[in-house]
Amino acid sequence: MKVLIVTTDLYKQIGGGQTVYKKIIEASPNIDFFYFRDNEKPNAQRPPNVTALPLLPLHKLELKASPLFLGDKIYQFKAADQIARSVAKQSFDIVDIPDFYQFGSFLRAAFSHHKVDVGKIVLAMHGNISDSIVMNWGSCGNNVLDLKFLEQSQFSLLDGVYAISPRYIKKWKSVVNRDVHYIDPAHFVTTQIQSSQPLISSPKPSVYCIGRSERLKGNDLFIELVRWLREGSFDEAVHIGDQDYSFQGIGSGYILENIARQRGLTINHRNSLNYREFCELFSKPSIVILPVRYDTLNVTALDVLFSGTPVAISSMAGVCDYLDEVHPGLPYIKINMDNFYSAVSDLQDLVDNYSFHRDRLLSYIATHALFPATPLDMEAVYRSMLDAPIRVTSAYQEIQVEYKDKGSSQKTRFIHGLLGRVLPKGARNTLRRLVRSPRGFLVEKIKSSGYLGDAKFLSALTDSRSIPKRFKYIAMKPEKNIDQIREKLVAIYENASNPLHRCNFWLDIARIERILGNELIAVTYELRLLRLLGFDRLGLLPRVLETLNKHGFSQEVKAVEVMFADPANAENQVYSYLKEAYARNLTKLDKPFEIQDDRRTGQAKVAVIVSLYKAAPKINFFLTALSQQTLVKKGAVEIILIDSGSPTNDREIVEAFLEKTPLNAVYARSAERETIQSAWNRGIGLAHAPYLVFLGVDETLYPEGLELLADALDKKPEIDWVMANSLVTAVEKSGLYKSDIMPYDRTSGTKDHVYLETCYLSWVGGMYRKTLHERFGYYDETFGAAGDTEFKNRVLPHIQVEFIPKMLGLFLNYPDGQTTASPKAEIEDMRAWYLHRTPGGVRYAFENRPVAEVEKLFCTALGYRKSYCGHLSSDIEYATYLSRHIKSRNPASTVVDRVEQGLLAMLHQMHELEFVEGPISRIGSVAKLFTAKRIALRYQAEHRAMLKSIAWPCYTVLNDNRYEQHSWLWKSS
């Protein structure tokens, strides 16, 4: 029997599919196998019954088919032609093609054209490439529909199919009901390690993730799981396997290194190991963690388990079905990917009690048959397919095309060789992008390179030439009916991306949104105009106040009035308003609960207060993660769940979880929906513990988080609030980690950084003393979205804060988004945030603090790092208000004298950039930005020279806070 395996470099590449084919060849000495050699050496070591055939270059083909011959099939036809041309005029009983290719249904026509005599074409089900592409690094997830059609076509059309995964067979048979020959995957286990051999002595096991570092394989999930293990409980954590590359050509090693660094981890990497190296690896205490997002089987798991090494494997791997059915007593950890962190306790127990768990595994191996009773008979499998009736389909007709072989030019062969043999995959992708779009590639590189030291400014500068044209284009668009008005609004949004004269665009957006009835979006833009222009330059205040009153923003009306209604007295009025707000919130109203189920016992050190509203889908995941806290396991935490009249079955979910996993918890429900600040105040009233933490069900902490934060408060009684770093991640609907979004790195932060960037003080990764409320007040329950911001600005003058330089907090951004990101939140920020950034707000914050502390913040405002950014920002306007306060208390301040004139000049330039009243030209637009930049750079140099070691001013215009906060576009639906 002659079998052609449609794959290349079989004895050079490493992977599950290659392993299966090698075992088939070794187990079938009476079959003559053939495969293709591309980069593999001609004299590579191979079994005697296998021949490596040279793969000829891909040819250009001129296809002569009907217009319905889709373009997505052309490459597949060429690939089939390449295979057939490489074996022209030969004959094979079986052609075996793995399903990670998609050209199987084109092979019959290609073989016929090149006079290749073939018995049956067989599909080997290893795993579709479309699944890998969907889950690849940087994939948008919706770019494989064409491949899926081709994969389904070949599964349906080819003469025979075999597979080693029961789950994968079941999946495909639900799509196309046809016979699939099943082969026990244990036939393909390569391990021969003696399970009884003693381990080399080592105090701790190491943890490994094995496999090519595609995102599908879950190497990033491995990092996340390692972070949840107790620090120091294992020896080392290592990725083992070749690198993969994102769609942008970025290596997985770089991606994974960044993910680990955000979590304060060092995870090593080793390339694929051979059999001897694996034996050496597993001669020491080892644990293999395979948190794959998807895998048809995962032979590696069987290899490792059968060698006597403990394994944790994702429930998304098909091998779980096999183990549960064939080896129901074999001990391994199944990682539930619908409740990811539920595996943490089992993994930690495996690490802590490694010898016990390994002995259990060895005991099973010693008393149970792991391998099939009869050897693999692949000849019989192939023979049954040869003897089966010809599969009659009409689908081959669609590929019966005539084509003209245009050959492969010398240039094409050279480029193919360069791309395929010399350059790594990442470089190949980069070169392809350059070839496809040289101009776009170069523009992208120039912008990202920081040309002129400021890529953001350069982009705005080059784009500003078109601003006059955009103004004219928008002005000329008609407004004769609602459809035209909507079209005009879309055009404004599309053209309002440049920061230059953005207030002109925003003013027109507000006008049209009002016409369309979207008053809250309109007033949000109008409030921006009031803030950025410094006063009611455009006469907007009356309609702003009317709209806010109409929509129930009565407190915001007062805040806006004291800021803008009487500019001469604004400072005093703002100050009085803030003092009144402080006094108003010193006490809270105790309110009854509709339901209160208190299951707390003993004394707790920390109270975790959790607000619930439509939280049912996330409660299990949240409580599972929270139960991993070291302080929870010590019984030192009380969990206070406040249900604000939720319409979903939150209570039912909580009760079911607590029945299964008892926690020191209380569930309380209000009869009606309340604000999150009301829920928090209710939770404070129920709390017995001296330390408070507030979380939503889409937030959590790493396991040692509560203990480290509480220890910090224990050690320093003078500190009121401790704050660690936090990480924002994107997660699936189930809560499963997808990717990092950004960190909140508060390293070197002070409490006064909060006045420059509010996220320096937060709740996720933070903890404070309950007495803070008794001394300085409670949450303002009139807020719906920005009450947390208002609270910390209100109490900040009175408290002491300490920062812990460790990543402890974790935001879980679910697909349903964040409810606080809305125009409503920005409107509420007028009194929560912007009031505190006025002269009256500065007076409220610093009137009872030493002027030296104000001077220090003044210097910081000239050049500081936002917690979620890597670059330096400035806050020129706030710095001018600080300088005014400093001069009022210390007229002889030399710090302010040195830079005050420059700050006022730069602030004037920024006001000039915001709004233009007269006509502008292309040159004038560019000149405005260029002038602002030139003046900023001049003062930057002067101020750095004058302030020397006490400050590092950084003025690049668009790095100022006014361009980095509330500068995005809200759009009506």
Side-chain angles (χ1 to χ4, degrees):
M1 182 182 290
K2 293 174 64 179
V3 175
L4 174 65
I5 300 174
V6 181
T7 192
T8 58
D9 299 338
L10 181 58
Y11 287 88
K12 180 180 180 181
Q13 296 186 12
I14 297 174
Q18 288 78 12
T19 297
V20 169
Y21 280 131
K22 290 173 186 176
K23 293 292 287 186
I24 288 174
I25 291 169
E26 293 170 11
S28 311
N30 296 325
I31 299 178
D32 292 324
F33 289 95
F34 302 83
Y35 71 95
F36 296 101
R37 175 176 55 79
D38 190 13
N39 294 318
E40 187 177 290
K41 295 180 180 179
N43 59 348
Q45 188 174 357
R46 308 178 186 94
N49 62 326
V50 63
T51 302
L53 305 171
L55 182 67
L56 299 181
L58 197 71
H59 273 200
K60 293 182 178 179
L61 302 179
E62 183 179 330
L63 301 178
K64 297 181 178 180
S66 72
L68 295 179
F69 191 92
L70 300 178
D72 63 322
K73 297 180 180 178
I74 293 176
Y75 173 79
Q76 306 298 338
F77 191 88
K78 291 178 181 179
D81 171 76
Q82 180 185 26
I83 295 297
R85 187 161 34 83
S86 299
V87 291
K89 300 181 180 179
Q90 299 187 45
S91 64
F92 302 95
D93 299 292
I94 293 287
V95 173
D96 185 323
I97 178 172
D99 68 344
F100 47 75
Y101 296 128
Q102 301 85 38
F103 54 83
S105 54
F106 295 81
L107 281 172
R108 183 70 67 178
F111 284 144
S112 175
H113 179 80
H114 290 287
K115 297 180 172 55
V116 183
D117 185 17
V118 171
K120 294 290 178 68
I121 302 177
V122 171
L123 186 69
M125 297 176 64
H126 298 291
N128 296 143
I129 195 67
S130 62
D131 294 316
S132 296
I133 293 174
V134 165
M135 298 185 189
N136 194 20
W137 308 108
S139 171
C140 59
N142 61 355
N143 53 347
V144 293
L145 190 59
D146 55 341
L147 297 184
K148 286 189 174 295
F149 281 135
L150 291 165
E151 288 163 351
Q152 181 173 335
S153 175
Q154 66 183 10
F155 178 80
S156 175
L157 301 178
L158 296 191
D159 301 311
V161 184
Y162 70 90
I164 65 173
S165 168
R167 183 187 294 185
Y168 197 43
I169 293 173
K170 183 178 180 181
K171 170 193 168 182
W172 267 108
K173 291 191 72 168
S174 69
V175 178
V176 178
N177 188 17
R178 64 166 300 172
D179 291 335
V180 178
H181 193 105
Y182 170 66
I183 302 174
D184 193 318
H187 284 301
F188 305 101
V189 173
T190 59
T191 181
Q192 295 296 328
I193 301 172
Q194 295 297 317
S195 59
S196 60
Q197 71 181 38
L199 293 177
I200 297 174
S201 177
S202 178
K204 303 172 187 175
S206 293
V207 291
Y208 301 99
C209 184
I210 300 175
R212 182 176 177 83
S213 54
E214 304 173 50
R215 185 173 173 274
L216 174 143
K217 294 295 185 181
N219 293 70
D220 52 343
L221 298 177
F222 171 71
I223 296 171
E224 179 66 8
L225 281 173
V226 168
R227 177 60 183 84
W228 283 74
L229 296 178
R230 190 175 66 254
E231 187 176 7
S233 62
F234 55 90
D235 185 17
E236 65 171 343
V238 184
H239 302 287
I240 299 176
D242 295 336
Q243 281 204 58
D244 193 36
Y245 293 87
S246 73
F247 282 94
Q248 296 77 28
I250 302 171
S252 57
Y254 176 80
I255 295 170
L256 295 172
E257 183 180 340
N258 281 338
I259 293 172
R261 187 175 64 251
Q262 298 284 23
R263 289 157 178 77
L265 296 174
T266 298
I267 295 187
N268 299 320
H269 177 266
R270 300 180 195 170
N271 290 329
S272 296
L273 305 181
N274 58 35
Y275 171 75
R276 179 187 59 79
E277 291 168 328
F278 268 119
C279 290
E280 182 180 341
L281 188 77
F282 294 141
S283 68
K284 301 175 183 178
S286 304
I287 296 169
V288 173
I289 303 176
L290 302 168
V292 298
R293 286 183 168 84
Y294 173 76
D295 210 327
T296 58
L297 185 81
N298 199 297
V299 176
T300 298
L302 294 181
D303 262 323
V304 177
L305 275 171
F306 289 3
S307 77
T309 298
V311 167
I313 179 83
S314 160
S315 59
M316 300 306 293
V319 72
C320 291
D321 292 355
Y322 175 80
L323 289 172
D324 294 349
E325 180 180 349
V326 180
H327 298 288
L330 190 149
Y332 77 99
I333 294 175
K334 185 189 296 185
I335 303 171
N336 181 1
M337 300 301 266
D338 290 328
N339 196 3
F340 185 61
Y341 297 121
S342 62
V344 173
S345 293
D346 291 336
L347 282 170
Q348 190 64 65
D349 181 57
L350 175 56
V351 170
D352 293 339
N353 302 287
Y354 177 79
S355 296
F356 169 78
H357 290 286
R358 183 172 186 267
D359 287 345
R360 282 182 61 217
L361 176 59
L362 294 178
S363 176
Y364 181 93
I365 291 172
T367 55
H368 292 77
L370 301 179
F371 300 98
T374 57
L376 173 62
D377 187 355
M378 201 64 197
E379 186 172 0
V381 174
Y382 285 142
R383 184 66 61 188
S384 68
M385 295 177 180
L386 276 174
D387 295 341
I390 295 176
R391 189 169 175 79
V392 179
T393 69
S394 60
Y396 284 128
Q397 272 192 307
E398 71 175 80
I399 59 172
Q400 296 296 329
V401 297
E402 297 180 5
Y403 57 89
K404 179 180 179 182
D405 188 341
K406 299 174 72 174
S408 177
S409 68
Q410 185 176 356
K411 178 181 178 181
T412 301
R413 287 196 297 271
F414 171 75
I415 293 176
H416 178 271
L418 177 65
L419 292 179
R421 295 179 174 83
V422 178
L423 297 179
K425 188 173 181 180
R428 272 182 269 163
N429 291 339
T430 300
L431 188 56
R432 288 192 185 102
R433 286 157 54 208
L434 174 61
V435 171
R436 288 171 185 167
S437 178
R439 183 178 180 274
F441 179 83
L442 291 174
V443 169
E444 175 190 334
K445 285 298 179 184
I446 289 172
K447 287 184 177 181
S448 63
S449 68
Y451 179 67
L452 295 182
D454 189 346
K456 183 178 180 181
F457 182 84
L458 176 63
S459 179
L461 186 68
T462 55
D463 181 67
S464 63
R465 296 169 63 251
S466 66
I467 296 292
K469 184 178 179 181
R470 294 181 202 175
F471 280 162
K472 184 176 181 180
Y473 166 73
I474 292 168
M476 297 302 292
K477 289 189 75 67
E479 301 181 25
K480 296 180 180 179
N481 54 53
I482 290 297
D483 287 340
Q484 289 184 344
I485 289 173
R486 289 197 179 103
E487 289 176 7
K488 185 165 189 172
L489 181 61
V490 170
I492 300 173
Y493 278 126
E494 290 175 348
N495 287 276
S497 59
N498 198 298
L500 181 64
H501 305 322
R502 56 185 176 164
C503 287
N504 293 78
F505 289 104
W506 292 351
L507 183 63
D508 217 28
I509 289 174
R511 177 182 67 84
I512 295 179
E513 291 285 16
R514 283 188 176 278
I515 293 173
L516 296 175
N518 302 316
E519 291 185 327
L520 284 185
I521 290 182
V523 81
T524 305
Y525 284 106
E526 290 163 350
L527 287 171
R528 289 185 183 183
L529 293 168
L530 289 173
R531 291 198 311 265
L532 292 172
L533 299 181
F535 63 100
D536 189 17
R537 177 176 173 180
L538 303 175
L540 300 174
L541 188 60
R543 74 183 187 204
V544 166
L545 298 178
E546 180 184 359
T547 302
L548 292 177
N549 260 321
K550 177 181 176 181
H551 290 274
F553 290 95
S554 57
Q555 286 297 326
E556 283 68 26
V557 167
K558 295 177 183 177
V560 174
E561 280 184 322
V562 298
M563 290 174 73
F564 299 108
D566 183 4
N569 295 312
E571 180 177 341
N572 290 330
Q573 291 184 1
V574 167
Y575 174 78
S576 297
Y577 178 90
L578 293 175
K579 297 292 281 188
E580 290 168 7
Y582 177 82
R584 186 174 65 249
N585 289 288
L586 281 173
T587 59
K588 68 177 179 66
L589 179 65
D590 289 330
K591 295 174 285 187
F593 288 103
E594 180 185 48
I595 299 169
Q596 186 170 334
D597 179 6
D598 198 335
R599 307 186 184 198
R600 292 175 292 178
T601 59
Q603 291 185 338
K605 176 181 284 189
V606 176
V608 177
I609 298 172
V610 185
S611 58
L612 303 178
Y613 186 78
K614 293 184 178 180
K618 302 169 185 174
I619 290 174
N620 264 324
F621 190 85
F622 169 78
L623 290 176
T624 299
L626 187 60
S627 65
Q628 308 302 325
Q629 288 293 312
T630 56
L631 271 191
V632 170
K633 293 181 177 181
K634 293 177 180 179
V637 176
E638 57 177 349
I639 301 170
I640 301 173
L641 303 166
I642 306 296
D643 182 337
S644 293
S646 177
T648 55
N649 61 332
D650 297 23
R651 181 187 180 188
E652 180 183 331
I653 301 296
V654 169
E655 289 179 343
F657 186 92
L658 295 178
E659 288 299 319
K660 184 178 179 182
T661 310
L663 294 171
N664 191 35
V666 55
Y667 168 88
R669 174 183 169 92
S670 60
E672 298 178 351
R673 185 180 183 183
E674 298 178 339
T675 67
I676 191 171
Q677 274 66 50
S678 296
W680 284 3
N681 280 343
R682 284 181 177 270
I684 295 164
L686 289 177
H688 299 152
Y691 302 153
L692 303 181
V693 167
F694 296 81
L695 294 173
V697 291
D698 53 358
E699 300 159 347
T700 190
L701 296 102
Y702 284 114
E704 75 279 17
L706 293 179
E707 189 159 12
L708 289 180
L709 294 169
D711 285 347
L713 289 175
D714 285 343
K715 292 173 181 176
K716 295 186 177 181
E718 72 277 11
I719 297 299
D720 300 293
W721 196 320
V722 288
M723 191 72 235
N725 297 332
S726 309
L727 184 62
V728 183
T729 64
V731 299
E732 306 283 359
K733 186 178 180 181
S734 65
L736 181 67
Y737 170 82
K738 281 176 63 177
S739 62
D740 289 351
I741 297 177
M742 65 179 183
Y744 287 107
D745 181 1
R746 303 176 176 97
T747 305
S748 303
T750 69
K751 78 167 188 176
D752 289 335
H753 275 76
V754 177
Y755 293 115
L756 302 171
E757 191 263 287
T758 183
C759 296
Y760 266 95
L761 197 60
S762 186
W763 282 258
V764 182
M767 179 185 291
Y768 62 76
R769 300 182 190 276
K770 184 184 176 184
T771 56
L772 186 150
H773 293 290
E774 298 164 8
R775 292 178 289 156
F776 309 122
Y778 295 83
Y779 291 97
D780 187 333
E781 298 181 4
T782 62
F783 279 93
D788 52 350
T789 299
E790 187 274 341
F791 174 76
K792 61 191 168 191
N793 280 307
R794 172 161 39 95
V795 303
L796 200 59
H798 311 288
I799 65 174
Q800 298 302 316
V801 180
E802 180 169 281
F803 292 86
I804 300 174
K806 190 172 178 65
M807 188 68 73
L808 296 181
L810 198 58
F811 292 87
L812 309 174
N813 276 17
Y814 282 86
D816 54 7
Q818 302 297 298
T819 57
T820 55
S822 65
K824 179 181 179 181
E826 184 173 338
I827 291 170
E828 288 190 356
D829 269 335
M830 290 302 295
R831 65 179 169 120
W833 172 244
Y834 286 104
L835 269 178
H836 292 269
R837 293 175 49 78
T838 64
V842 171
R843 178 179 164 192
Y844 171 84
F846 294 103
E847 64 177 348
N848 296 317
R849 294 179 60 186
V851 72
E853 294 183 6
V854 191
E855 289 181 338
K856 184 176 180 181
L857 179 59
F858 170 78
C859 290
T860 302
L862 306 182
Y864 68 98
R865 181 185 60 80
K866 285 179 163 59
S867 66
Y868 50 84
C869 295
H871 66 269
L872 291 182
S873 302
S874 63
D875 200 332
I876 302 300
E877 186 166 24
Y878 188 64
T880 61
Y881 297 153
L882 289 171
S883 70
R884 187 185 306 177
H885 180 80
I886 293 168
K887 295 286 280 188
S888 70
R889 294 175 59 185
N890 180 17
S893 172
T894 57
V895 173
V896 171
D897 285 342
R898 295 174 186 174
V899 299
E900 187 175 25
Q901 182 180 354
L903 294 181
L904 293 173
M906 286 186 289
L907 186 58
H908 173 74
Q909 287 297 317
M910 290 178 182
H911 285 151
E912 288 288 300
L913 296 179
E914 298 289 3
F915 189 80
V916 60
E917 294 186 359
I920 56 172
S921 65
R922 294 171 64 184
I923 295 176
S925 297
V926 174
K928 272 187 178 291
L929 269 173
F930 193 82
T931 299
K933 176 76 169 184
R934 177 176 53 80
I935 291 173
L937 290 178
R938 189 186 88 202
Y939 283 118
Q940 175 180 276
E942 290 182 7
H943 293 178
R944 286 181 179 180
M946 288 187 290
L947 298 176
K948 295 181 180 177
S949 61
I950 64 172
W952 187 252
C954 187
Y955 312 143
T956 63
V957 183
L958 299 184
N959 75 325
D960 194 75
N961 181 71
R962 69 194 296 115
Y963 295 106
E964 295 183 337
Q965 184 164 323
H966 289 142
S967 59
W968 51 84
L969 298 177
W970 298 116
K971 299 181 182 180
S972 54
S973 57

